[in-house]
Amino acid sequence: MLESETTSDEPSKGQEMSEPIAPDLVYHLKTTGDPALSPDGALLAYTLGWVDGESLNARSQIIVLDLRNGSSKKFTQGEKDSAPKYSPDGRTLAFLHAVEGSRPQIWVAGADGGEPRQLTDLAKGVSDYAWSPDGKKLGVCADVDPEADPDTSEPDEVPQVTVVNRVRYRYDTLGWRGDSHFHIFVVDVETSACRKLTSGDWDDTAPVWSPDGSQIAFISGRGDDRDFMALSEAYSVPASGGEAKLMSEGLFSVGALTWSPDGRQLAVVGSDAPEGMVLWQGWLYVLEDRKEPHKLTDDTIRPYLGFPPVSRPANLCWTDNGQIIFLGERKGESFLFQTPVAGGPTEAIWGGECLSTGLSVDRNADQAVVTVTSPGCPGDLHQIDLVVGGSNRLTNHNDSYMGDHPAASLEKFSIERAGIEIECRLFFPPGFDETLTYPLVLDIHGGPNGAFYDAFVPAQQVLASAGYLVLAVNPRGSSTYGADFMMAVLGDWGGEDYQDLMAALDTVCLRPYVDLERLGVHGYSYGGYMTSWTVGHTNRFKAAVVGAPCINLHSMYGTSDIGISFGEAQWGGSVVDATDKMLERSPITYVADVNTPVLLLHGESDARCPIGQSEEYFTALKRLNKEVEMVRFPGCSHQFPRLGHPKMRKEYLARTLGWFNRLLV
């Protein structure tokens, strides 16, 4: 075992009057996001989110912080305001606003305040937008449904059939897609006139204007096999209208883009892997007409992309002095990187020991603002001086709560198995006493190409606050450790990654304060798969919480929204080619060997890992007289533990904690 490192982000406030972080933290914590610096860097607009105490609904407003004097004010008063963006001259602030029961639309107001004005009225709302360089237009990404007004004379209450002609007719969290597609529009800021710029049987997203305003670059998936493969390309189209031009020939997938200052090149986060894995591991490329893509970064860095199309694309900044500034990840930590376009090493400007998911840079690239979460901090905004270095925290919306509810401390260590280094994170309960013994929960991340970061994870903090040690491992297959490490899980679900998890657990169980008779295991999505796989292959755990699992890969292939595009790359082929292997690697195959009590937690509107996966497992376990309980979350997608209704998020945490408290305490 390599030398370990212990860190703690606990508040300095004494613990004698403290309270544990409980499942109701979702009602108390606030979120900060969408940082947007004004061009001159004097003002910062951002989205502040919280849960309304009476309705228990999530709300969000735009806050503007004056970086010159530290004062702040509420810029909007709505219930669902987000995505602020300053005009190029800094005089206008645009944002997305949604009233109850409607889709988000773009509104604009003077940067110094005043009555906002609605700019768009698109049928399915706006998902993303970008200012033109002259500030007179917006490039807008919006959903278009060709069947929005069906030709029928029957009353609305009479049920209608729905017709499916393609595989990708739905998408988790977005819901039913049918023949809907995202496309790019151009909106005149003065007149609100709206003109559709792209069309076709594909999605067009992430509009970015060229510096002279003549072109709009965007991301699309127009290949012939777009219905079966998770591939995407970069295109450019004249802002006045015309044919789109492919800009990323030679790459299989693109996840973010920006123009060079002279408008002759594009910088993109892309991948040349045929599996289309830019979301798992991307590289920074420079694209130029009639030239091969030029790779700038290696796979020791994973450029941050978010989770499109549910989240807006990541921000890249190409500076006037030939540097590209971007957020990236390395070994479960976030950094702000800069890389020279002309060639040379990529440098970490700032970061480490945190997860960062939002970036804004001012016009002269003198400063940046990033969103930051760390094990002891649910989320804040930090300002980074790009000229002389250094950073400072700008917001403290959760200090009061964290002062009364100390976070778990974190120890990071690595083990070696079969010549591979496996990084682990162990969370300790506040007030930990090494002379006592504690129950331990092994937490398994999703993906499988996800990762655990140095971040505040509610489930881990709730369990640790309740007196559990929580072990979070990044086994092979995890991202941020290089492409070879990540690719090792393809075709090997439940193989070497399972052995990595057990080896990490074995190492921690040698410590005298771990109670070997009180071990639990929890995971969500692929973590749910691995949890159900684990209890089918060992009896060492006394309780298991299985969230939204993959249980039967054969049935999931045809029922998941990504059963083909994701499943074929992960499982080794189509349902025809890999049937035997799918069943061999399915937890349902080993259900008779399960002796651990299992709690299943699943959203009823989950299109990614459909609830039928839990239903199959529940039925099989019940038929065999195993101890099992299933909790169904109505109206909840696969992303509900992070994006769902606050009550459902609290229920997930409470049910998880309750199951372990009943069986391990």
Side-chain angles (χ1 to χ4, degrees), residues 362-520:
D362 66 6
R363 179 171 48 213
N364 295 326
D366 292 330
Q367 64 173 316
V369 172
V370 295
T371 59
V372 178
T373 175
S374 63
C377 177
D380 273 313
L381 297 174
H382 287 233
Q383 182 183 34
I384 303 166
D385 191 316
L386 299 176
V387 179
V388 300
S391 66
N392 65 286
R393 188 173 71 146
L394 296 174
T395 59
N396 57 3
H397 294 294
N398 293 306
D399 278 9
S400 177
Y401 179 87
M402 296 307 300
D404 295 332
H405 303 78
S409 56
L410 167 65
E411 175 192 343
K412 292 170 64 175
F413 64 94
S414 294
I415 65 167
E416 185 176 301
R417 193 186 78 78
I420 303 294
E421 183 180 330
I422 306 298
E423 191 174 59
C424 311
R425 289 163 170 78
L426 184 62
F427 293 89
F428 294 84
F432 171 76
D433 185 344
E434 64 180 7
T435 66
L436 304 177
T437 59
Y438 294 83
L440 180 145
V441 173
L442 171 65
D443 195 19
I444 308 176
H445 70 64
N449 306 118
F452 283 126
Y453 295 81
D454 292 0
F456 186 97
V457 179
Q460 294 172 352
Q461 293 291 340
V462 167
L463 289 170
S465 285
Y468 294 89
L469 297 163
V470 181
L471 176 61
V473 183
N474 282 336
R476 68 195 73 194
S478 302
S479 62
T480 77
Y481 297 88
D484 291 342
F485 189 89
M486 182 203 67
M487 296 282 282
V489 76
L490 300 188
D492 190 40
W493 281 28
E496 292 299 316
D497 58 342
Y498 169 70
Q499 298 299 332
D500 292 342
L501 291 168
M502 294 302 102
L505 181 64
D506 290 340
T507 300
V508 173
C509 283
L510 294 175
R511 303 185 183 193
Y513 47 76
V514 178
D515 189 335
L516 304 184
E517 297 302 315
R518 295 192 291 165
L519 299 179

Side-chain angles (χ1 to χ4, degrees), residues 107-131:
W107 290 60
V108 294
D112 56 355
E115 190 67 24
R117 171 172 63 93
Q118 183 173 347
L119 193 61
T120 63
D121 188 21
L122 291 160
K124 300 191 72 172
V126 172
S127 62
D128 190 21
Y129 68 98
W131 284 95

Side-chain angles (χ1 to χ4, degrees), residues 22 100 115 165 197 200 204 241 267 274 279 348 364 391 401 428 455 475 481 487 508 628 630 635 650 652 661:
E100 187 175 354
E115 190 67 24
N165 290 304
L197 191 63
D204 299 324
L279 291 180
N364 295 326
S391 66
Y401 179 87
F428 294 84
Y481 297 88
M487 296 282 282
V508 173
V628 60
M630 179 169 61
K650 177 194 172 187
Y652 186 96
N661 281 347

Side-chain angles (χ1 to χ4, degrees), residues 42-106:
L43 302 175
L44 172 70
Y46 66 93
T47 301
L48 177 66
W50 73 98
V51 175
D52 182 81
E54 295 184 3
S55 68
L56 299 185
N57 288 323
R59 295 188 62 187
S60 59
Q61 293 177 346
I62 307 301
I63 306 296
V64 171
L65 176 63
D66 191 323
L67 298 178
R68 296 163 296 191
N69 56 31
S71 64
S72 66
K73 64 178 181 180
K74 291 183 180 180
F75 190 83
T76 66
Q77 304 294 325
E79 295 187 355
K80 290 284 186 179
D81 300 329
S82 64
K85 295 184 181 184
Y86 282 97
S87 61
D89 63 7
R91 297 178 179 177
T92 305
L93 183 61
F95 57 94
L96 296 183
H97 169 75
V99 297
E100 187 175 354
S102 68
R103 306 293 178 92
Q105 303 290 347
I106 299 175

Side-chain angles (χ1 to χ4, degrees), residues 318-374:
W318 191 322
T319 69
D320 290 336
N321 64 352
Q323 300 282 337
I324 297 177
I325 298 174
F326 64 100
L327 283 174
E329 302 161 352
R330 184 168 58 197
K331 294 186 176 181
E333 300 179 62
S334 290
F335 299 85
L336 186 63
F337 290 103
Q338 69 176 10
T339 191
V341 177
T346 299
E347 175 190 1
I349 306 173
W350 165 92
E353 299 183 349
C354 70
L355 172 63
S356 185
T357 57
L359 167 67
S360 180
V361 180
D362 66 6
R363 179 171 48 213
N364 295 326
D366 292 330
Q367 64 173 316
V369 172
V370 295
T371 59
V372 178
T373 175
S374 63

